[in-house]
Amino acid sequence: MSEAIKNAVRDGRTALGIEFGSTRIKAVLVDESHNPIAMGTHDWENRLENNIWTYSLEDIWNGLQGCYRSLAEDVKAKYGETLTTIGSIGFSGMMHGYMAFNAADELLVPFRTWRNTMTEEACKELTPLFRFNIPQRWSIAHLYQAILSGEEHVKDITFFTTLAGYIHWKLSGEKVLGIGEASGMFPIDSDIRDYDKKMLAQFDELIAPKGFPWKLEEILPRVLCAGEKAGVLTAGGAKLLDPTGALQAGIPMCPPEGDAGTGMVATNSVKVRTGNISAGTSIFSMVVTEKALENVHEEIDMVTTPDGNPVAMVHCNNCTSDLNAWVNLFEEFAGKFGMKIDKNDLYGTLYREALTADPDCGGLVAYNYFSGEPVTGLNEGRPMFVRTPDAKFSLANFMRSHLYSAMATLKIGNDILLKEEHVKVDSLMGHGGLFKTPVVGQQLMAAAFDSPVTVMDTASEGGAWGMAVLAAFMQEKAADETLPDYLTNRIFAGQTGTTIAPKAEDVAGFDVFVEKYKSTLVAEKAAVEGLR
């Protein structure tokens, strides 16, 4: 097997996916059977500068080169081969945000990430104008907010894009985006697989009095669907990715996608009436719908699959950050007594303890808001834990309250989707760090959705693997082969997973918890105002 893989690496019969997550950049190289054969990682972290969550260009390129170097070293260590060519490459990243450039290709303002909640004024104008929900993190919201705020740089924009689009552009010279990623910049018309023409015209008319020298469509990336060609790695791009000069130019590149799209691919959730839940630093659910929703809901975003079908997305900015902080506190406590506990064991023990708790957490309520949360109307966050004096204050209830908290805002949004819009879901797939400890995350998420939740054996491969699969799809697809068929027949055939059905007592308990959570939001909002 190793000799066959060595030959595949040497001959470039591989596909590479690299995904920029919030805290880690990950690369996965797959063979012709789409199995991971090498991996690379690079840790990074956003910073709050001038009250804006950002990463610098230096962070981006150091991170990409560090991740690729880690991958190349893994290939060398496992197979004795220097990575010189690859069959196809794809890049993905955190969706949304704002990277604006001038005619000299200079970044006009620091990268504004999805995490920023500074565009409320823009959203309140654009949503009723379009009759389509425009969330705060969307690129068009950032652009219009900059216009409303009178920012000088807007007149000089010749191109704006997302993180994944920026990287792809610099490596290939192509100003393009995969349709799933593009749907987080500006609304998509799934019938034409492109930006909504009516809304483009409405926006241009809205800003016409400003006299800018551009029309919106002129500065947006071109939209491509999964399977389409998106350029090749240029000589300059190869040097940017691999400064050693070993990697050759000319490698085909697929459309860059967002982490939502790669999550759908990695969990085989691109068919109508399928859904997936990604739970890590942020948490979001994606349900591929049969038709458009009846009403506009600020809690629900309409985006698309990587092949352009409509998706109802509930996106929450906060998930595991507060959980991680509490686990770190327990680790620090153990250290004071000379105990060195493996981090995976610590997480596993604390998470499993939550399964022994009262289904409603015994009167304990926690808020995991490190940053703002538009779904519940918060521009900033304050992690908070509250209980009544007679609450059942135990470790089990404490841990369950924080696990529930990580999922509560997602549940609030999806209750609208499932109970008010009556969207049908046949299957839900879970992936991300919250599901790393077996059973726990699945069981509690099943309670939140009152629906079975499945975690595939490949779920730990995550979005970088999903991006590699999209890169392979571009090269391998038959003329009339759809992405859902490709995934079902070639990628996931024979794959196994674990499915956990909801328990009635957990469903009822989570409902009780969420009602308390919603009724106590006034205290969370007061904490934002009072604690500075």
Side-chain angles (χ1 to χ4, degrees):
M1 176 62 75
S2 181
E3 192 62 35
I5 294 176
K6 284 178 67 173
N7 290 334
V9 169
R10 191 180 303 124
D11 299 340
R13 289 180 280 111
T14 54
L16 173 64
I18 299 181
E19 180 157 287
F20 283 69
S22 299
T23 58
R24 172 169 289 190
I25 306 167
K26 184 176 180 180
V28 173
L29 188 70
V30 303
D31 61 14
E32 293 171 288
S33 299
H34 313 104
N35 295 315
I37 57 174
M39 189 177 300
T41 61
H42 180 90
D43 292 336
W44 72 334
E45 188 61 69
N46 59 185
R47 58 175 70 92
L48 190 63
E49 292 183 352
N50 300 317
N51 214 32
I52 291 174
W53 292 104
T54 189
Y55 303 86
S56 69
L57 294 183
E58 184 180 19
D59 292 335
I60 293 169
W61 293 112
N62 286 344
L64 178 60
Q65 291 169 0
C67 181
Y68 181 83
R69 182 171 60 250
S70 173
L71 172 79
E73 289 170 352
D74 193 38
V75 169
K76 188 73 171 179
K78 287 178 176 174
Y79 312 112
E81 293 290 328
T82 298
L83 202 53
T84 60
T85 189
I86 298 163
S88 54
I89 300 178
F91 292 91
S92 59
M94 301 163 282
M95 286 181 74
H96 320 295
Y98 182 73
M99 299 188 79
F101 300 87
N102 63 16
D105 294 342
E106 297 166 329
L107 186 67
L108 291 167
V109 290
F111 171 32
R112 296 169 183 177
T113 77
W114 62 271
R115 197 171 192 176
N116 290 287
T117 51
M118 56 195 283
T119 63
E120 182 178 9
E121 183 184 4
C123 295
K124 283 184 175 178
E125 287 195 29
L126 293 178
T127 293
L129 174 69
F130 294 154
R131 292 184 53 80
F132 187 99
N133 183 39
I134 302 297
Q136 288 206 44
R137 64 189 182 283
W138 279 33
S139 306
I140 190 62
H142 280 283
L143 174 63
Y144 189 50
Q145 188 63 54
I147 293 171
L148 291 176
S149 301
E151 294 191 38
E152 277 293 313
H153 79 272
V154 176
K155 68 181 187 309
D156 299 320
I157 297 174
T158 58
F159 178 55
F160 80 119
T161 189
T162 64
L163 176 60
Y166 167 68
I167 293 161
H168 184 95
W169 168 40
K170 289 300 181 182
L171 297 186
S172 70
E174 299 290 338
K175 295 178 177 179
V176 299
L177 274 188
I179 194 167
E181 175 78 335
S183 70
M185 286 196 76
F186 192 84
I188 292 289
D189 180 344
S190 288
D191 290 336
I192 63 170
R193 298 300 201 261
D194 204 346
Y195 300 117
D196 188 290
K197 300 298 184 185
K198 179 182 177 182
M199 295 182 197
L200 286 171
Q202 287 174 318
F203 187 84
D204 286 336
E205 184 180 353
L206 176 67
I207 66 168
K210 301 289 185 181
F212 296 124
W214 47 260
K215 298 288 188 184
L216 181 57
E217 194 167 16
E218 296 169 355
I219 63 173
L220 280 164
R222 185 163 54 92
V223 177
L224 297 175
C225 287
E228 294 190 74
K229 306 290 186 183
V232 299
L233 186 68
T234 63
K239 196 72 174 175
L240 266 177
L241 185 56
D242 178 19
T244 70
L247 187 66
Q248 300 168 7
I251 298 169
M253 294 177 65
C254 72
E257 264 299 344
D259 49 2
T262 59
M264 283 187 272
V265 171
T267 55
N268 195 20
S269 303
V270 298
K271 290 181 184 176
V272 170
R273 292 178 58 148
T274 64
N276 81 92
I277 302 159
S278 174
T281 304
S282 64
I283 186 169
F284 55 84
S285 62
M286 313 281 293
V287 176
V288 187
T289 61
E290 297 173 277
K291 58 184 178 64
L293 302 186
E294 295 292 333
N295 301 291
V296 176
H297 301 278
E298 291 187 5
E299 300 88 349
I300 299 171
D301 312 347
M302 291 306 297
V303 290
T304 78
T305 61
D307 57 342
N309 286 322
V311 175
M313 178 184 191
V314 178
H315 183 284
C316 309
N317 288 351
N318 301 276
C319 185
T320 58
S321 294
D322 196 35
L323 261 172
N324 296 340
W326 283 107
V327 172
N328 290 339
L329 185 71
F330 287 124
E331 182 181 41
E332 182 182 353
F333 172 79
K336 296 298 182 183
F337 290 88
M339 293 181 284
K340 179 65 176 176
I341 304 173
D342 178 82
K343 205 62 170 278
N344 289 330
D345 289 342
L346 182 59
Y347 270 100
T349 298
L350 291 170
Y351 277 32
R352 284 188 292 271
E353 184 68 15
L355 294 183
T356 69
D358 295 312
D360 66 351
C361 303
L364 279 55
V365 179
Y367 291 91
N368 64 331
Y369 293 167
F370 260 55
S371 62
E373 195 56 83
V375 172
T376 47
L378 286 149
N379 288 330
E380 296 180 48
R382 299 292 183 271
M384 189 171 74
F385 172 69
V386 63
R387 62 190 174 98
T388 59
D390 60 347
K392 298 177 183 176
F393 190 31
S394 65
L395 179 62
N397 281 338
F398 181 82
M399 288 307 302
R400 183 176 280 228
S401 73
H402 281 84
L403 282 160
Y404 273 5
S405 175
M407 308 171 188
T409 310
L410 186 72
K411 175 177 170 58
I412 291 169
N414 275 282
D415 279 351
I416 296 169
L417 186 67
L418 303 176
K419 296 177 181 179
E420 294 183 25
E421 289 284 346
H422 307 292
V423 168
K424 303 298 182 186
V425 185
D426 294 333
S427 63
L428 280 171
M429 300 288 180
H431 63 110
L434 190 69
F435 299 104
K436 190 173 182 180
T437 298
V439 178
V440 182
Q442 270 180 276
Q443 184 170 321
L444 299 185
M445 193 69 76
F449 277 79
D450 194 11
S451 174
V453 174
T454 299
V455 173
M456 300 294 293
D457 294 340
T458 55
S460 62
E461 306 302 346
W465 178 72
M467 196 65 238
V469 168
L470 284 171
F473 175 62
M474 178 188 69
Q475 295 294 84
E476 298 172 358
K477 70 184 288 286
D480 59 348
E481 189 173 22
T482 67
L483 180 60
D485 287 345
Y486 176 83
L487 293 177
T488 298
N489 300 329
R490 298 212 215 178
I491 305 298
F492 289 95
Q495 290 284 351
T496 58
T498 303
T499 301
I500 293 180
K503 295 181 178 180
E505 61 269 26
D506 287 342
V507 173
F510 209 140
D511 283 341
V512 171
F513 175 87
V514 159
E515 288 308 310
K516 290 182 179 178
Y517 186 94
K518 290 191 289 188
S519 68
T520 315
L521 271 169
V522 62
E524 170 68 15
K525 292 174 180 177
V528 170
E529 293 300 317
L531 187 59
R532 296 202 173 269

